[in-house]
Amino acid sequence: MQYGPAVRRRKLGDELRALRSRAGLTSGEAARLVGWHQSKVSRIETGASGVKPADVRLLLDAYRVPEGESRELMLVLAGGEDGGRHHWWHAYRGVLPPTYRDFISLESQASTMRTLETSVVPGLLQTPEYARAMTRAAVDGVEETRLDALVEVRLARQDVLRSDPPLALSAVLDEAVLRREVGGPEVMTRQLERLMEAARLPQVRLQILPFTAGAYIGITGPFVIFSFPSTSDLDVVVLDQMMSSLYLERKEDLRAYSEAFNTLQIHALSPEDSLDFIAGLNHGG
């Protein structure tokens, strides 16, 4: 059974509760119409439990929701319109914390990803050696077998850049990302080469924010903005915290972070100049 991430479960629950209210039904009446216990409807509406697309269809029929965008959105949120994508990360459930699984699920379904990184190379652009050194430093006392699994996940995530259609990635990297020596000189040399290779891909837009750009909005911390092909109602901002991730879905939050990212792109080097900048660092610049 494949459920979407927690952030989508909550959104789905909110939408279904609104549709039920619009239909003039209590949760108990809705449950009786579809042959469930009232507690199941409540758990779905609060996001406490996942729900199959088939069950969502039952509720939509009970609420007399016509075919159209609203119905399609509900099924997307329930994971029923995934295009048959295999949720490969479920094989690592024992290794990955729930918030990381949520992030990978969003990443695998998004059409575009905009990210600011202030300290490390984005996971989608890391080499195996860089990913290993970074994970070892980030996860204190990690066992070798778990380290191997976490690195495997990091590299498997990169398939979204090679899928059909591929994820469109726009990344702004603070100069500190390039100068922080992770794993030693040889690892960093290969990592900078990997960034240059990725920057030449048509689906990747890579820009460097040099130290000389000074202080600009947004550079106080990294963030990711995911956008989805079916509707902007699914867009979400992800803020990484030390022990968890924070998901922002309000339209005003999305607008603020989108504007911040646009500002960062304006003040960052152009993609062409960014390539030259990375090449200069990689040759002792």
Side-chain angles (χ1 to χ4, degrees), residues 75-258:
L75 293 172
V76 171
L77 289 170
E81 302 296 329
D82 248 354
R85 291 184 184 179
H86 175 56
H87 292 191
W88 56 267
W89 59 91
H90 283 218
Y92 297 90
R93 290 183 70 89
V95 176
L96 305 178
T99 52
Y100 192 17
R101 294 200 301 268
D102 285 358
F103 184 90
I104 296 172
S105 180
L106 290 169
E107 185 178 72
S108 72
Q109 298 172 65
S111 57
T112 65
M113 174 179 174
R114 290 168 286 170
T115 182
L116 166 71
E117 282 292 352
T118 57
S119 300
V120 300
V121 172
L124 294 183
L125 303 179
Q126 292 179 6
T127 65
E129 297 79 13
Y130 185 101
R132 178 170 290 274
M134 197 67 247
T135 305
R136 191 189 296 278
V139 185
D140 187 43
V142 62
E143 296 178 359
E144 205 64 24
T145 52
R146 183 164 185 247
L147 176 62
D148 290 342
L150 290 171
V151 173
E152 283 177 19
V153 169
R154 182 65 54 93
L155 300 179
R157 282 174 48 202
Q158 298 176 4
D159 283 345
V160 294
L161 294 176
R162 298 182 286 269
S163 60
D164 184 22
L167 175 74
L169 173 65
S170 293
V172 174
L173 309 186
D174 190 274
E175 183 178 339
V177 172
L178 308 181
R179 293 193 179 275
R180 177 166 287 102
E181 195 171 278
V182 174
E186 290 184 11
V187 170
M188 283 307 298
T189 294
R190 175 64 192 121
Q191 180 59 70
L192 293 178
E193 290 171 352
R194 167 65 181 136
L195 286 176
M196 289 187 286
E197 292 166 6
R200 295 187 180 97
L201 295 173
Q203 67 271 31
V204 175
R205 179 184 175 90
L206 181 64
Q207 293 179 259
I208 304 303
L209 189 69
F211 291 150
T212 54
Y216 287 101
I217 184 171
I219 63 172
T220 53
F223 61 85
V224 174
I225 307 171
F226 286 119
S227 297
F228 297 86
S230 56
T231 171
S232 62
D233 286 346
L234 298 179
D235 293 357
V236 60
V237 176
V238 185
L239 306 179
D240 256 343
Q241 319 243 319
M242 182 172 289
M243 299 302 292
S244 63
S245 294
L246 179 64
Y247 294 86
L248 306 178
E249 305 167 85
R250 296 187 310 164
K251 291 190 182 300
E252 50 266 46
D253 292 328
L254 287 161
R255 189 182 308 113
Y257 277 90
S258 292

Side-chain angles (χ1 to χ4, degrees), residues 16-123:
L16 288 173
R17 181 168 54 251
L19 289 171
R20 174 178 58 74
S21 297
R22 199 174 304 153
L25 298 170
T26 66
S27 58
E29 290 169 339
R32 283 193 293 276
L33 282 174
V34 295
W36 298 346
H37 193 280
Q38 188 269 340
S39 62
K40 180 173 180 178
V41 174
S42 295
R43 288 197 305 272
I44 291 171
E45 291 185 352
T46 58
S49 66
V51 57
K52 299 176 186 177
D55 285 345
V56 171
R57 290 189 183 94
L58 281 177
L59 291 173
L60 295 176
D61 289 343
Y63 303 159
R64 298 186 178 184
V65 178
E67 295 293 334
E69 185 175 314
S70 178
R71 194 177 183 100
E72 178 187 346
L73 173 61
M74 298 300 99
L75 293 172
V76 171
L77 289 170
E81 302 296 329
D82 248 354
R85 291 184 184 179
H86 175 56
H87 292 191
W88 56 267
W89 59 91
H90 283 218
Y92 297 90
R93 290 183 70 89
V95 176
L96 305 178
T99 52
Y100 192 17
R101 294 200 301 268
D102 285 358
F103 184 90
I104 296 172
S105 180
L106 290 169
E107 185 178 72
S108 72
Q109 298 172 65
S111 57
T112 65
M113 174 179 174
R114 290 168 286 170
T115 182
L116 166 71
E117 282 292 352
T118 57
S119 300
V120 300
V121 172

